[in-house]
Amino acid sequence: IHRNTMISRLVHKLSCVCCIVIMLLGAAHSIHTLIDVISNSGPHFFGPTDSTLLRSMQKTTLAGVPDVNFWNGFLGFNLTHSLGLLFFGQFTFAVFTNPQHAQFKWVTRYYAWIVAALYTWIFQHFFLLPLVVMGFCAAVLLLRACVVHTRPKPTTRDNSWHRARYALVIGCICFMFPSGAHFVIGVNDHFSLPGECHFGPADSTLVAPLALAGVQTAHDTGFQSSWLSANVGFNITHGLGVLLISGTLLLLVVFNWEELQPSKKGSGRLWLCVLLNAWCVPFVAYKFFFWVPALFTAVGSVLLLYGFLCRGGVPLSHAFRFKMT
């Protein structure tokens, strides 16, 4: 129950609007990226402003990962960047709008504004508009943590561990291992020289032109952004996005397992926003990256499905049985 004050209620509503705005950012970015993926006439949104560079980009690989085509990898990083934003907006909105989730103090007091602030820091690699929007959302979520408080109802914590819970933990780790490594290397690229980036082009002759070229969308909206800088940003948010999905579920499984049970009101919304975004990752990894992240995330997806079906403690053989009345 929120404090019965005008300010707290206003901040609560404003924070919910910010969650929707973050979802819209992710949805718009994913749609624009998919258009670039299927377009036969070349990219329209996230290609370099110097179109003569595109053919060379399509012929080279990532400097640190020779198995991944440079341009295809960039499109894949854009898609997982979108998934991370979509999940973050969906999850925080589900928690904020359901009084049953008052147990999630760690979400309202720390998680929401810290993640938004981290995205704001990364968005310096893009153009001005998303940076300002995400910075505003981070400020609102921080204000919410200070002003809006909840009083959770007494509940019995479920400390039981069974196969489903272990499967979910292992599945989350399968997602976190490659994405965590990618996030760390991406942050290292942020502090590296342009020609020394692990996720830059293997063809060193492309480094200088891409550093001077802008991103099509940024150029069209009047806000300039270096294409090479944007590539670094999308690599960091690629790792952060997958880490966010799997890491959030891991926290829920370890600390709020009882909130994920079928009998708990609102648990379906939490599972929906986690699983829909998580199951997209292996397909993106298979299409745009190489076999290692695709294998890890595919195994993780199977384990998440098993954990979801058996989360009530029933065996998998009984998961699809329905009681006839």
Side-chain angles (χ1 to χ4, degrees), residues 66-319:
D67 295 330
V68 179
N69 178 272
F70 182 62
W71 175 248
N72 286 344
F74 176 75
L75 292 175
F77 301 145
N78 274 266
L79 286 174
T80 45
H81 160 86
S82 304
L83 289 176
L85 287 174
L86 278 169
F87 167 77
F88 177 53
Q90 291 167 353
F91 176 72
T92 49
F93 184 79
V95 172
F96 290 168
T97 56
N98 191 339
Q100 299 294 326
H101 298 326
Q103 308 294 335
F104 299 157
K105 284 186 176 181
W106 56 272
V107 175
T108 55
R109 293 188 180 180
Y110 309 105
Y111 172 95
W113 69 267
I114 289 176
V115 172
L118 186 57
Y119 267 115
T120 303
W121 173 72
I122 300 171
F123 275 23
Q124 66 181 287
H125 290 282
F126 310 139
F127 54 103
L128 184 62
L129 182 59
L131 175 63
V132 172
V133 171
M134 186 57 71
F136 175 78
C137 292
V140 171
L141 293 175
L142 176 58
L143 183 61
R144 178 194 172 90
C146 299
V147 173
V148 181
H149 299 278
T150 57
R151 296 177 183 176
K153 296 180 180 180
T155 183
T156 302
R157 184 170 178 179
D158 188 352
N159 293 317
S160 62
W161 283 80
H162 44 76
R163 291 180 181 178
R165 203 168 179 181
Y166 284 116
L168 288 168
V169 170
I170 297 172
C172 290
I173 294 173
C174 287
F175 277 89
M176 294 174 72
F177 177 72
S179 60
H182 199 106
F183 176 75
V184 171
I185 297 173
V187 172
N188 181 69
D189 282 357
H190 169 80
F191 295 103
S192 301
L193 296 174
E196 299 175 357
C197 291
H198 189 84
F199 297 121
D203 184 355
S204 58
T205 60
L206 285 172
V207 174
L210 287 175
L212 295 174
V215 180
Q216 286 174 317
T217 303
H219 178 77
D220 293 341
T221 53
F223 301 107
Q224 293 298 320
S225 174
S226 164
W227 194 97
L228 203 62
S229 176
N231 178 59
V232 173
F234 287 129
N235 272 276
I236 299 176
T237 52
H238 156 73
L240 176 61
V242 181
L243 266 179
L244 203 59
I245 298 168
S246 52
T248 302
L249 179 58
L250 183 61
L251 289 173
L252 292 174
V253 170
V254 173
F255 298 109
N256 299 103
W257 178 242
E258 62 280 351
E259 300 293 325
L260 299 178
Q261 298 306 304
S263 59
K264 192 70 175 181
K265 185 178 179 181
S267 64
R269 292 173 63 189
L270 297 179
W271 280 107
L272 187 65
C273 66
V274 170
L275 295 180
L276 282 182
N277 290 287
W279 287 341
C280 290
V281 175
F283 295 101
V284 175
Y286 175 77
K287 171 70 176 176
F288 297 100
F289 309 140
F290 63 116
W291 68 270
V292 173
L295 177 62
F296 270 90
T297 53
V299 171
S301 295
V302 173
L303 291 172
L304 294 189
L305 177 61
Y306 173 83
F308 168 70
L309 293 175
C310 304
R311 65 195 185 281
V314 298
L316 185 60
S317 58
H318 298 282

